[in-house]
Amino acid sequence: MEALAVRLSGLDPHVEGAIRVVAFYDTLMRRRVDLQALARASAGLAECVTGVLLHGTGRAIRVSPEGTAASAPPSPASSTTPITLDEEEIGTVWLERPGPPNPLDDVLLDRLAIAAAAAVERYGPARTTMADPALVELAISCDSEEAARARALRLLGFAADLPVRVVAVRSRLPLDRIGALICPSRPVKAAPLADVGVILATTVDQSAFPAGVRAGVGTAGSPERSWREARTALRFATPGRPVVPHEGLGALALLAQVSHDAVRDNADVAAIARLAAGAADAADLETLDAYCSTGSLRRAADLLHLHHSSVARRLEQLGKSLDIDLTEPTGLLRARLALTAWRLLDG
């Protein structure tokens, strides 16, 4: 390396300095130093305050050229570079240099970012959103021993005292994008399991799910119970209610425990199935769903963008087809339960 630097410096003096910076960080990486040591060494090399920030933890490290924590208020960064791991930006590094940047600052920050990503991956957990599916499955499986579950959660980046919510997702969107939207500033991990996406998060913003996503959200606490609740809630998700929290189901969650044979044999559910198989099933089911969801003729009409008299005529015909009086509270309850149970047959 030294001989190469000498030869190249004859062509461009800047090259020798860049190679020496690369060699400096190669040495640090071979010594497996942590983020604090990286920031301290970088501040000494750059001769200015150096910072490292991980998005997943929100923890910022600022070190002065003397190797101590920077006590002065942060100055505007003179140069910044993102830290990337597995093609995901997990943080940033920067220099707070007074005056114009040094010609080697870009090289220094580039190597610091690479070394920081290696340190995060080594001392972890890696703050990427996507995770090893086997590790996620170990964390949420009801068959896992508690010690193994705790270790899996720790490797995924969840502290022992943090409650974890599990979200079951069906979507064509990337899971890491969904996870970043619903839990932007706290630990979040995602992985596909069979045909369902799994997201583990400490908090879930249910209003932040993007369009086209159907999701069931388990309660915070035991991951295996939360996963079971999330899968159940996902079965209740519909186009009109794409995100379903398990705690919002109440007694409706009991329907998920009824056997498929019992559901199919029910006369009301069978009537819904015949309606769905009919030629006008899309409009009929949409009307019935709107009415069952709102419990009001006029609100259903607003939802469907139709005149209430048109909805009333549809409901009259639907009532005859189902043999249910939809104008009565009992009839409305029967229709809602039958429609929900029929949907559960297909998950």
Side-chain angles (χ1 to χ4, degrees):
M1 179 67 76
E2 292 292 336
L4 177 62
V6 169
R7 290 197 300 271
L8 290 177
S9 64
L11 301 175
D12 185 350
H14 174 75
V15 173
E16 180 182 4
I19 292 179
R20 291 186 185 279
V21 170
V22 171
F24 176 81
Y25 282 100
D26 284 349
T27 300
L28 292 177
M29 293 173 68
R30 283 196 300 271
R31 293 176 179 174
R32 299 176 178 269
V33 299
D34 59 16
L35 287 177
Q36 190 73 41
L38 273 174
R40 188 165 54 247
S42 300
L45 179 64
E47 298 183 335
C48 68
V49 172
T50 301
V52 179
L53 171 68
L54 296 180
H55 298 325
T57 62
R59 175 193 174 203
I61 302 172
R62 291 178 65 244
V63 181
S64 71
E66 292 74 30
T68 59
S71 56
S75 302
S78 57
S79 303
T80 63
T81 296
I83 305 171
T84 304
L85 183 61
D86 295 336
E87 299 183 355
E88 181 181 348
E89 184 176 325
I90 64 170
T92 186
V93 293
W94 70 92
L95 298 177
E96 299 176 19
R97 184 183 299 285
N102 185 291
L104 291 175
D105 282 355
D106 287 344
V107 178
L108 186 152
L109 285 179
D110 182 64
R111 301 306 298 182
L112 172 56
I114 293 173
V120 168
E121 189 170 30
R122 181 179 303 113
Y123 297 109
R127 297 297 177 179
T128 56
T129 300
M130 297 306 294
D132 181 353
L135 206 56
V136 170
E137 187 171 14
L138 186 61
I140 64 177
S141 174
C142 61
D143 296 326
S144 299
E145 296 181 355
E146 286 306 312
R149 189 191 320 282
R151 181 177 181 274
L153 289 171
R154 185 171 63 254
L155 291 173
L156 288 168
F158 296 99
D161 58 342
L162 284 179
V164 176
R165 278 180 177 255
V166 183
V167 183
V169 175
R170 291 191 191 279
S171 174
R172 297 189 180 189
L173 297 176
L175 285 175
D176 56 345
R177 177 183 167 190
I178 299 172
L181 288 172
I182 65 174
C183 188
S185 59
R186 302 289 296 277
V188 58
K189 293 291 181 180
L193 287 184
D195 61 339
V196 179
V198 183
I199 298 175
L200 282 73
T202 50
T203 60
V204 176
D205 182 355
Q206 295 178 25
S207 65
F209 282 93
V213 173
R214 294 199 186 186
V217 184
T219 56
S222 171
E224 74 274 18
R225 186 190 66 211
S226 188
W227 169 232
R228 186 170 62 249
E229 293 173 346
R231 283 184 301 168
T232 297
L234 178 61
R235 295 177 63 192
F236 287 85
T238 67
R241 192 188 181 193
V243 179
V244 180
H246 187 270
E247 60 260 38
L249 289 174
L252 285 175
L254 295 173
L255 287 176
Q257 301 179 28
V258 181
S259 71
H260 282 198
D261 289 341
V263 172
R264 289 192 184 93
D265 290 342
N266 182 269
D268 288 349
V269 177
I272 294 289
R274 289 193 299 271
L275 179 67
D281 60 304
D284 287 343
L285 286 177
E286 187 180 12
T287 301
L288 184 62
D289 184 40
Y291 181 60
C292 289
S293 299
T294 62
S296 163
L297 180 64
R298 292 189 178 274
R299 287 203 297 271
D302 291 341
L303 192 63
L304 296 168
H305 305 292
L306 295 171
H307 193 274
H308 67 273
S309 60
S310 299
V311 176
R313 286 193 296 271
R314 285 190 186 182
L315 290 174
E316 183 179 1
Q317 292 301 317
L318 284 170
K320 292 178 181 178
S321 299
L322 299 173
D323 195 22
I324 297 175
D325 186 354
L326 296 175
T327 63
E328 293 292 328
T330 301
L332 176 61
L333 177 61
R334 284 175 56 188
R336 185 183 182 193
L337 288 175
L339 183 61
T340 302
W342 172 76
R343 282 177 169 148
L344 289 178
L345 288 175
D346 292 328

